[in-house]
Amino acid sequence: MEDWLMTVMNSYGYLGIVFLIAIENIFPPIPSEVILTFGGFLTITTTMSVVGVIIASTAGSVIGAIALYFIGWSISTETLKKFIAKRGHILRLKETDVDRAIGWFNKYGGWSVFLCRFVPLIRSLISIPAGLAKMRVIPFLLLTTLGSLIWNSVLVGLGAYVGESWHDIVRIMESYSTVLYALLSIMVVIGVLIFIKKRK
C-alpha cells in the first residue's frame, strides 16, 4: 500500500494528498502517518512546500470528516453497529470502536471532535457520532479543521525535518497508537468498575 500512496503523491502532488487524506478518513486502513510524513519528506525533494502540504492534507481531512458526519446524520447507531459487525474487519474496526467514539462524544460533547483528531482510528470515527447527535455543522467544521490542522502540521513538519528517515516517524506513531489504545482500554475498565460500584 505504501508504494501506491507514494506513487499517487508523486504523480498528483497536492491534489493527490487531498484525495488520499480524504479517503483515509473514510477508510481507516490507509495510514495517515505514512501520507503526512512522506508528504513532509517530499517538500525537500520536490517543489511542494510544507505549508502547501499542510493545507492540502487539512482540506482532505475536512472533506473526509464531512462525509462521515453526514453518514452519521442519516443512520442510527444500531444500523452502524450491524454494518461494523459484518464489514468492520475490512476497515480494521470493531463494534467497541463505535462505542468508544460515541462515549467520547457523549462525555466531551463538541470538543471530542477536536480531541479525537489526535487518536488514530477514533479520529475518523468521531465524525459519525457528531452526525448522529445532530451537532451543528459550523462548530463541527471549525473543531475538525483546528484539530486536523495541528495533527497534520506536526507530522508533515516532522517528515520534512527528518527527511529520508521519515519511516522512523511512522514507527514511532505506531508505538504511540499502541500506548494510546492501552490507556483508553484502562480508562474504559476503570469507568466500568466505577459504574458497577455506584450501582451496588
Side-chain angles (χ1 to χ4, degrees), residues 104 107-108 180-192:
W104 271 75
K107 185 173 183 179
Y108 299 106
L180 203 54
Y181 287 139
L183 290 174
L184 286 173
S185 298
I186 292 171
M187 288 170 62
V188 169
V189 171
I190 292 173
V192 170

Side-chain angles (χ1 to χ4, degrees), residues 15-198:
L15 287 178
I17 293 172
V18 172
F19 168 76
L20 290 174
I21 292 293
I23 296 300
E24 176 269 332
N25 271 262
I26 300 169
F27 192 69
I30 296 178
S32 64
E33 294 83 1
V34 172
I35 301 169
L36 295 170
T37 51
F38 182 67
F41 167 64
L42 286 179
T43 64
I44 61 176
T45 59
T46 68
T47 57
M48 288 196 291
S49 68
V50 170
V51 172
V53 172
I54 291 172
I55 291 173
S57 57
T58 302
S61 297
V62 173
I63 291 170
I66 289 173
L68 291 179
Y69 172 85
F70 282 109
I71 289 174
W73 184 284
S74 61
I75 65 173
S76 66
T77 303
E78 291 72 23
T79 301
L80 177 62
K81 284 189 173 183
K82 286 179 181 178
F83 175 80
I84 294 297
K86 290 181 179 180
R87 301 285 184 265
H89 63 283
I90 300 173
L91 304 174
R92 292 193 307 166
L93 297 175
K94 296 176 289 187
E95 290 178 78
T96 52
D97 293 322
V98 177
D99 291 328
R100 191 178 297 133
I102 292 173
W104 271 75
F105 189 83
N106 289 337
K107 185 173 183 179
Y108 299 106
W111 281 104
S112 61
V113 173
F114 170 77
L115 295 171
C116 287
R117 294 300 160 192
F118 311 105
V119 184
L121 284 183
I122 304 298
R123 65 191 302 269
S124 299
L125 273 180
I126 195 61
S127 300
I128 296 177
L132 285 168
K134 303 298 188 287
M135 179 180 179
R136 288 185 298 160
V137 175
I138 298 303
F140 172 79
L141 289 176
L142 290 175
L143 291 169
T144 295
T145 301
L146 180 59
S148 298
L149 180 64
I150 295 171
W151 174 263
N152 296 344
S153 296
V154 170
L155 290 184
V156 171
L158 286 172
Y161 179 75
V162 301
E164 293 184 358
S165 300
W166 64 272
H167 264 293
D168 294 338
I169 303 300
V170 174
R171 282 191 288 271
I172 291 172
M173 291 308 300
E174 289 174 351
S175 300
Y176 163 79
S177 300
T178 301
V179 171
L180 203 54
Y181 287 139
L183 290 174
L184 286 173
S185 298
I186 292 171
M187 288 170 62
V188 169
V189 171
I190 292 173
V192 170
L193 292 175
I194 291 173
F195 175 77
I196 293 173
K197 186 176 181 180
K198 286 183 177 179

